[in-house]
Amino acid sequence: MEFYHFVEQTIQLDNREERARVEHFLANHSLRLEADVDYSIAIYRQGMVVATGSLAGNVLKCIAVDPEYEGRGIAGRVVSRLVAEAYSRGLLHLFIYTKPENAGKFSQLGFYKIIEVPAGVVLMENRPDGITAYLKQLKKYKRSANMVASIVVNCNPFTKGHQYLIEKAARACELLHLFVVWEDRSVFPPEVRYQLVKDGIKHLPNVEVHKGKDYIISNVTFPTYFIKSPDEAVKTQSLLDIKIFAKFIAPALGIKRRYVGTEPDCPVTGRYNQTMKTVLPGYGIEVIELPRLSIKGVVVSASQVRKHLRQKELHLVKELVPEITYNFLRSKDADSILEKIGNEAGGGLIGAKKNRNGRHT
Amino acid sequence: MELKKTGMAGTLESSDILVVIEPKNSEGIDILLESVVIKQFGDQIRKIISNTLRELGINQVIVRANDKGALDCVIKARVQAAVSRATGSKECFWRVVES
Amino acid sequence: MYVPGNNPGLLKDAHIYGADALMFDLEDSVSLQEKDTARFLVFNALLSIDYEGTETVVRVNSLETPYGRDDFEAIVRAKPDTIRLPKTEEAEEVKEADLLIGEIEGKAGIELGTIKLMAALESARGIVNAYDIATASPRLVALALGAEDFVADIKTSRSSEGCELLFARSQVLIAARAARLFALDTVFSDLKDQAAFAREVEYIKQLGFDGKSVLHPRQVETVHRIYTPTRTEIEQARRIITAMQEAEQKGAGVISLDQQMIDKPIVERAQRVLALAEATGMNKEDGGR
């Protein structure tokens, strides 16, 4: 009854000592405790860590088992605990990143492969029909047209810059599929961003607006987009996200072109755009970079808008956003969002902590 | 009993079974089963799952189960626990189970 | 022997290690998130697994927790031999449990009084109230000491000599004896130190305990070995019982053996020796292990 020898513990991530023990164990297995992790457990044997695993939202990550204890069901125990915790948080659709050599092990633990990228990463999910169900949903919007294009936007919040890009793209093709990033990690919640875009492009009859969900620039496919750490992971994740788009989403809708705004400032988005230009043509998808709208010589950006909001310069915001966004910002519904933006400026310890996951700029 | 939300119970450890129960819009019990012993016991496991659900009056449901060689009584226990989590009810549960 | 309530791998063949009783645990070995699933698991295991006559005990959560009542509702219907009440501090708690069990037995069509109770004393208050607790319900069959919580409560920790437990052990034992209940000693957690475990078993046997809770199959044999009566003891006990039966048949008021008068405590001790011999397998013709 080996059961008794292994003690399971939830790691208090704020406790420096506990955290260090797990980090050290992961380092021995060439892994890091990633910044966006919000729940970790460790399994101890005689006071030593022999296995660990973490959750970052609906993604299981940073999982390692001491090879000496492999084959004793420890990995199953770690994954079970993480799955149970995710379910208790209401997260039902779960994902896992792993190395190709471990994919078999996780498929025994109820995960199904979505895609593998050359850098040696496999993305898996806990439902056999996860991505196919999403594609089936999308296919309802498939229409034959001469040129079907797509564009992916976060719109945090929807600006005149976004409107300009979308109008330009829509004019240059017959049908434009627009995906709104669905992750709830921007100041403006997904429902709000989606609604503003949808209302803001009502005048364009050939645009279909979709929710990006887990498979397009999400906490799953592209976590560094939200944490903005300019490291190696960006490269791998960009590739993974773009490959899912190329292999699954584009064919489902017959997309032959992807539009993107030029990105002079943010290195992560810059790298993403670069990867797109390298990868997508190989799948018969053209990438067109559109110059962004400037007003009074300044490029319009959502981060500029949030900066003005933070400084309570609503009159300056008015110049940068469509009427629909401006009206929303002045409505009661925006109160809590504006308060959140205000707090971000506060700086200091609390501000920094709140912002641990970072916000896309 | 009516399923209000998704319910999960069990683990992926040896001799256990992880059961996820989701409400479905239409009549019927759909079972997606994976098992280390699917060849020998697949049909029996499905039967235990659907019998347990019927006993509880559940017949609009999708079940996803990953079996690691669980005994019949463990399968039953995990299905009941997942249902009780999905219905949010404990009331009368034991009496239903009993009959 | 303790069996964690949420581990299917351990539930199914827990009885093969020779423990006299299995104690399925819904309390401390089960995390708060899994209280419900463990309850379903133990419930179904009791209803369907044949433990081949091994006594079954379920340690439920206290009625003061949000889980206690559901535990009783489920477990009584699964009919273990005994329910163990954790962290008992007052006779009132035993009475409450007794009433609740009776109520559920009634609802479920189980004969009233079927399910027995065992009270675990795990705090200073519990120890002080030991005799009141021991006499609180006719369902009670045993008192047990739970030392891990007890030492924390009296602000010390466990030592290998066990001086910190002497009073509690004595109190539990005396209360149990006065109320004619079994007295069971606490667990010994260091599974690696078998020698120290054996010393502790010798010690609590000498204090008078009827048995010891164990955490691991490995500990079962040690307890049996130490509790096994010698052949001479068994032989003597058999003779005493025979003498008693003969005296009963003759209608003699006094039992005598080898020109000595045998009084009631001696008969009871002989009965206990034979029961132990039975439990440890010594009463077989070949002398057991």
Side-chain angles (χ1 to χ4, degrees):
Chain A
M1 287 199 193
E2 229 147 4
F3 178 83
Y4 296 104
H5 298 301
F6 296 102
V7 181
E8 188 183 304
Q9 211 175 69
T10 307
I11 300 301
Q12 297 180 327
L13 290 164
D14 294 337
N15 179 321
R16 205 186 291 171
E17 221 169 287
E18 275 187 36
R19 196 184 171 98
R21 266 204 297 268
V22 170
E23 281 171 347
H24 181 73
F25 178 78
L26 282 170
N28 286 341
H29 296 82
S30 320
L31 289 168
R32 291 181 307 118
L33 189 62
E34 287 169 32
D36 56 347
V37 155
D38 49 31
Y39 176 80
S40 295
I41 60 152
I43 295 192
Y44 292 86
R45 184 174 196 272
Q46 292 168 3
M48 302 284 286
V49 178
V50 295
T52 180
S54 297
L55 280 179
N58 59 341
V59 183
L60 283 69
K61 53 168 69 168
C62 314
I63 297 172
V65 178
D66 187 330
E68 207 182 309
Y69 297 101
E70 256 175 54
R72 301 202 212 176
I74 305 262
R77 194 160 160 195
V78 171
V79 171
S80 297
R81 186 67 221 115
L82 296 177
V83 169
E85 177 66 24
Y87 270 80
S88 75
R89 295 176 177 198
L91 303 166
L92 310 175
H93 191 178
L94 308 178
F95 297 83
I96 200 165
Y97 276 102
T98 183
K99 295 175 191 158
E101 60 264 33
N102 291 333
K105 190 186 292 170
F106 287 112
S107 79
Q108 283 171 21
L109 296 174
F111 284 83
Y112 303 84
K113 184 170 156 179
I114 301 172
I115 201 161
E116 179 174 340
V117 294
V121 173
V122 179
L123 177 65
M124 306 176 87
E125 61 185 333
N126 72 335
R127 341 189 125 191
D129 59 344
I131 190 157
T132 43
Y134 178 68
L135 296 177
K136 209 169 130 192
Q137 201 60 34
L138 276 185
K139 275 181 190 152
K140 290 184 191 158
Y141 300 93
K142 182 171 183 172
R143 274 185 279 140
S144 55
N146 266 336
M147 173 47 75
V148 182
S150 97
I151 188 165
V152 181
V153 290
N154 190 22
C155 295
N156 185 36
F158 182 53
T159 65
K160 280 182 180 165
H162 296 117
Q163 201 173 32
Y164 168 84
L165 275 182
I166 296 165
E167 277 170 0
K168 255 193 135 172
R171 266 198 297 273
C173 66
E174 208 174 317
L175 175 61
L176 182 69
H177 289 286
L178 184 151
F179 292 89
V180 179
V181 171
W182 205 249
E183 213 54 63
D184 193 8
R185 289 172 71 167
S186 303
V187 194
F188 290 83
E191 292 293 348
V192 170
R193 291 185 283 111
Y194 178 80
Q195 205 50 51
L196 291 178
V197 176
K198 206 161 178 176
D199 293 346
I201 54 125
K202 251 191 211 143
H203 58 293
L204 303 169
N206 63 332
V207 181
E208 198 69 67
V209 185
H210 304 280
K211 299 170 179 177
K213 292 288 161 102
D214 289 314
Y215 303 100
I216 291 182
I217 311 188
S218 67
N219 177 39
V220 173
T221 61
F222 201 0
T224 40
Y225 179 83
F226 302 94
I227 50 182
K228 293 288 174 216
S229 65
D231 61 21
E232 189 58 18
V234 176
K235 205 165 122 190
T236 314
Q237 291 168 5
S238 302
L239 195 56
L240 189 113
D241 183 274
I242 290 159
K243 268 192 109 174
I244 293 177
F245 179 80
K247 275 187 78 171
F248 298 109
I249 294 167
L253 292 168
I255 292 166
K256 294 283 171 217
R257 187 183 281 167
R258 185 155 162 181
Y259 287 103
V260 58
T262 48
E263 182 50 68
D265 301 326
C266 169
V268 173
T269 311
R271 156 68 78 170
Y272 182 80
N273 291 353
Q274 192 51 47
T275 312
M276 237 183 333
K277 279 188 246 171
T278 327
V279 174
L280 289 184
Y283 289 86
I285 301 163
E286 186 186 2
V287 178
I288 294 188
E289 211 166 3
L290 296 171
R292 291 168 47 169
L293 175 72
S294 294
I295 294 177
K296 293 176 187 159
V298 180
V299 173
V300 178
S301 72
S303 56
Q304 189 68 29
V305 170
R306 292 198 304 278
K307 197 174 149 198
H308 288 318
L309 288 174
R310 204 171 297 144
Q311 289 158 4
K312 318 245 181 277
E313 301 161 332
L314 212 57
H315 58 289
L316 293 175
V317 170
K318 193 172 183 179
E319 288 182 20
L320 302 178
V321 301
E323 209 181 323
I324 184 95
T325 306
Y326 186 71
N327 289 342
F328 171 78
L329 289 170
R330 299 200 50 182
S331 75
K332 246 179 102 80
D333 294 338
D335 286 354
S336 64
I337 297 171
L338 293 180
E339 194 183 327
K340 226 161 46 174
I341 294 176
N343 286 343
E344 279 186 349
L349 262 180
I350 295 164
K353 193 166 172 193
K354 261 199 175 148
N355 223 356
R356 190 159 63 88
N357 286 341
R359 301 286 180 200
H360 180 43
T361 46
Chain B
M1 257 188 278
E2 193 199 337
L3 301 179
K4 297 200 177 87
K5 54 175 187 176
T6 298
M8 186 217 82
T11 73
L12 297 163
E13 290 167 57
S14 167
S15 309
D16 204 347
I17 179 170
L18 184 92
V19 177
V20 179
I21 280 176
E22 290 172 28
K24 196 178 106 177
N25 297 327
S26 55
E27 198 76 6
I29 296 175
D30 294 354
I31 300 173
L32 299 164
L33 173 70
E34 302 232 349
S35 171
V36 288
V37 289
I38 198 145
K39 279 206 185 97
Q40 307 96 298
F41 297 111
D43 289 341
Q44 195 189 335
I45 298 170
R46 282 169 209 280
K47 215 171 111 189
I48 298 166
I49 294 175
S50 51
N51 286 348
T52 308
L53 289 167
R54 281 201 200 94
E55 276 169 26
L56 297 167
I58 309 271
N59 40 32
Q60 292 196 0
V61 63
I62 300 167
V63 182
R64 287 187 284 124
N66 196 328
D67 168 63
K68 299 290 170 193
L71 292 180
D72 294 3
C73 67
V74 173
I75 300 172
K76 203 168 170 186
R78 296 315 194 192
V79 173
Q80 288 168 350
V83 168
S84 123
R85 286 176 170 186
T87 54
S89 83
K90 287 178 293 191
E91 199 127 326
C92 304
F93 211 88
W94 308 111
R95 260 155 282 175
V96 173
V97 168
E98 203 175 48
S99 56
Chain C
M1 183 171 78
Y2 275 83
V3 183
N6 207 23
N7 190 310
L10 299 179
L11 280 181
K12 68 177 173 193
D13 48 24
H15 59 297
I16 65 173
Y17 303 99
D20 303 319
L22 296 175
M23 198 194 75
F24 301 99
D25 184 27
L26 299 179
E27 204 215 7
D28 285 352
S29 72
V30 177
S31 67
L32 297 184
Q33 304 100 309
E34 300 297 339
K35 291 291 186 196
D36 55 338
T37 55
R39 186 184 303 131
F40 278 106
L41 199 58
V42 171
F43 173 77
N44 281 283
L46 286 172
L47 286 180
S48 62
I49 298 176
D50 178 8
Y51 288 111
E52 297 171 357
T54 306
E55 192 181 337
T56 51
V57 183
V58 179
R59 176 162 79 170
V60 296
N61 290 284
S62 151
L63 282 169
E64 277 156 34
T65 69
Y67 318 104
R69 193 164 176 108
D70 289 326
D71 284 353
F72 275 88
E73 288 282 348
I75 298 306
V76 169
R77 290 177 162 84
K79 290 195 276 186
D81 295 306
T82 309
I83 285 179
R84 172 166 163 144
L85 302 175
K87 305 185 174 75
T88 312
E89 300 205 311
E90 283 176 50
E92 212 40 55
E93 296 165 36
V94 180
K95 289 179 183 153
E96 192 190 352
D98 179 323
L99 280 177
L100 181 57
I101 293 173
E103 194 184 296
I104 301 166
E105 282 173 338
K107 283 189 290 193
I110 301 167
E111 194 188 330
L112 202 68
T114 303
I115 314 288
K116 303 299 178 204
L117 274 174
M118 175 196 296
L121 311 185
E122 309 179 49
S123 64
R125 276 183 69 207
I127 295 298
V128 166
N129 294 329
Y131 184 70
D132 279 351
I133 292 170
T135 50
S137 155
R139 286 182 199 271
L140 270 177
V141 290
L143 282 195
L145 174 66
E148 303 299 332
D149 286 319
F150 175 75
V151 291
D153 193 39
I154 63 166
K155 302 192 174 172
T156 179
S157 58
R158 285 187 75 173
S159 67
S160 50
E161 304 78 36
C163 58
E164 69 286 348
L165 291 180
L166 181 59
F167 178 77
R169 278 178 165 144
S170 308
Q171 176 92 335
V172 166
L173 185 93
I174 301 298
R177 290 290 173 254
R180 308 250 154 228
L181 304 182
F182 287 106
L184 300 169
D185 190 43
T186 187
V187 295
F188 182 83
S189 328
D190 187 352
L191 297 178
K192 279 170 299 175
D193 197 343
Q194 283 284 50
F197 177 65
R199 278 198 300 279
E200 184 165 291
V201 178
E202 300 267 9
Y203 172 75
I204 60 110
K205 183 187 174 213
Q206 187 56 38
L207 282 179
F209 278 92
D210 295 298
K212 189 162 178 70
S213 306
V214 297
L215 285 172
H216 193 280
R218 190 191 294 164
Q219 295 180 324
V220 172
E221 210 215 309
T222 308
V223 178
H224 277 170
R225 178 166 48 77
I226 291 165
Y227 267 89
T228 302
T230 63
R231 271 165 217 236
T232 329
E233 281 171 329
I234 296 170
E235 196 44 48
Q236 184 61 13
R238 282 210 181 108
R239 296 183 70 227
I240 290 168
I241 300 298
T242 311
M244 178 200 77
Q245 287 163 345
E246 280 170 5
E248 268 177 6
Q249 271 168 16
K250 281 186 223 155
V254 178
I255 309 166
S256 70
L257 180 68
D258 306 332
Q259 292 82 45
Q260 298 272 318
M261 196 180 84
I262 307 285
D263 52 12
K264 206 171 154 222
I266 295 184
V267 172
E268 281 176 358
R269 195 171 66 200
Q271 283 168 331
R272 215 160 44 238
V273 167
L274 290 183
L276 271 174
E278 170 97 24
T280 52
M282 270 297 285
N283 67 332
K284 293 176 194 137
E285 288 311 309
D286 62 357
R289 6 173 149 219

